[in-house]
């Protein structure tokens, strides 16, 4: 068993600390956020800090790093008020990871990494054509986190597109069927395998497994 | 391909919407948060909204639901200023899920579900003995999210305890070795398998895989 206290954590070398603290939070939802700049140029970035805020209204947040480190996506979202979030699958994980490179303003990561922008319905920002689960959000609020100059960006889900066989009758998405990946740390990517779903828990006996697919 | 627009999303039956929107955000880090109330009684709750805020200082957040739905954990954190986050493994996923039942104030979920409170060092709140990766946080800020009466609770990591063989030389935690689980929706739990880590991405050629364990 290894133990670290506050003063040890503060003395770590920068990359060691980034690796460890980013793993400490556990597996993350990793997605591609699609936006468009004021000149209409598409932009795509990988984000591993998507967080569920609430279902009704359907609010989803992500943490944007300080502006000096990452300003393209948040600036575009402020400009257009709309953005897309796209799940990542194993067949394009390398391209998705590559969007984390610091490309100059005006360069589209879609073209640089080889992913396909897809424009759907009347939504003016690009989805990722290769993604099996994707949705668009309307910006609701950007909350500054003064502790470290990051931002909680919150959007409301306005459009969802999902491959049909992924949705269960009760609305649950079988993300193992879509082969949606998750991430760990700043550079590790993972596939998953279902243990099970569990029934709604009430005080008393332990909630039991919900057997999927008629098992 | 199934498509849903805003007005369809708003008309969904409550549980269908909760299932679908909670899956839409992708796989989640699912953890047990350990606290203590003003009378010294231990409390344990399962949370799937842990989010990395920053590495230096080491800040980690979670979303607390509205107070009328979930007030024990956040009230305890405000009282003591300290709390623990504990990874979940397949051998106690049923017990972890059971902590989501609405137990009365003053009832310890540790006793009710059969997990073991562990007190370490001079930290006054309980860890989960069964967990291989656990850490304590000092409350820094509770940011109200007025859009839906939730809260972003941010703590600074002050203590970390990890089983030794999980840490790589560069600080990366091999969460597949610890068999840390992740979740999807409100009731699905998953194990993971590493695809690979990728090198730091720079503009130009696609970043390559980092081969782990001398492969």
């Amino acid at each position: 068993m290894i133990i670290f206290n506050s003063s040890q954590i503060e003395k770590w070398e920068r990359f060691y600390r980034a690796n460890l603290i980013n793993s400490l939070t556990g597996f993350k939802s990793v997605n591609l956020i699609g936006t468009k700049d004021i000149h209409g140029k598409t932009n795509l970035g990988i984000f591993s800090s998507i967080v569920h805020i609430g279902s009704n209204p359907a609010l989803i947040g992500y943490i944007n790093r300080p502006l000096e480190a990452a300003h393209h996506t948040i600036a575009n979202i402020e400009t257009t008020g709309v953005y897309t979030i796209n799940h990542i699958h194993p067949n394009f994980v390398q391209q998705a990871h590559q969007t984390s490179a610091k490309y100059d303003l005006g360069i589209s990561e879609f073209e640089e990494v080889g992913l396909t922008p897809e424009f759907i319905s009347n939504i003016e920002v690009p989805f990722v054509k290769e993604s099996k689960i994707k949705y668009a959000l309307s910006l609701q609020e950007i909350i500054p986190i003064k502790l470290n100059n990051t931002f909680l960006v919150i959007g409301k889900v306005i459009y969802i597109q999902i491959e049909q066989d992924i949705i269960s009758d009760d609305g649950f998405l079988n993300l193992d069927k879509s082969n949606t990946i998750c991430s760990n740390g700043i550079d590790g990517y993972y596939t998953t395998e279902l243990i099970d779903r569990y029934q709604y828990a009430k005080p008393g006996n332990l909630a039991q497994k919900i057997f999927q697919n008629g098992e």
Side-chain angles (χ1 to χ4, degrees), chain A residues 144-163:
Chain A
I145 300 172
K146 290 175 189 151
L147 287 164
N148 68 346
N149 298 319
T150 56
F151 302 88
L152 174 60
V153 180
I154 302 177
K156 183 179 168 192
V157 180
I158 56 170
Y159 179 94
I160 302 172
Q161 185 169 314
I162 308 172
E163 288 196 3

Side-chain angles (χ1 to χ4, degrees), chain A residues 31 95 181 185 197 203:
Chain A
N31 296 265
Q95 288 84 348
I181 66 166
R197 296 178 66 186

Side-chain angles (χ1 to χ4, degrees), chain A residues 138-186:
Chain A
S138 152
L139 175 65
Q140 302 298 302
E141 190 174 1
I142 295 178
I143 300 177
I145 300 172
K146 290 175 189 151
L147 287 164
N148 68 346
N149 298 319
T150 56
F151 302 88
L152 174 60
V153 180
I154 302 177
K156 183 179 168 192
V157 180
I158 56 170
Y159 179 94
I160 302 172
Q161 185 169 314
I162 308 172
E163 288 196 3
Q164 187 136 11
D165 62 348
I166 296 164
I167 310 185
S168 298
D169 290 343
D170 66 357
F172 182 82
L173 303 181
N174 292 291
L175 299 184
D176 44 338
K177 279 194 189 164
S178 64
N179 227 344
T180 291
I181 66 166
C182 59
S183 73
N184 168 29
I186 53 181

Side-chain angles (χ1 to χ4, degrees), chain A residues 29-36 41-50 62-65 69-74 76-77 83-88 92-103 107-113 115 117 125-128 131 189:
Chain A
S29 175
V30 64
N31 296 265
L32 289 164
I33 297 187
T35 58
K36 212 166 76 171
K41 191 79 182 175
T42 60
N43 185 283
L44 191 67
I46 190 165
F47 287 82
S48 61
S49 58
I50 307 285
Y62 83 90
I63 305 293
N64 200 98
R65 292 189 300 146
H71 64 278
H72 297 178
T73 297
I74 195 170
N76 290 352
I77 290 173
Y83 51 111
T84 71
I85 298 185
N86 307 267
H87 284 214
I88 300 170
F92 61 88
V93 57
Q94 188 178 23
Q95 288 84 348
H97 178 75
Q98 181 65 27
T99 65
S100 64
K102 291 193 201 318
Y103 292 104
I107 299 283
S108 173
E109 289 82 2
F110 280 103
E111 295 161 25
E112 293 297 317
V113 310
L115 289 169
V125 286
F127 291 84
V128 175
S131 179
Y189 301 94

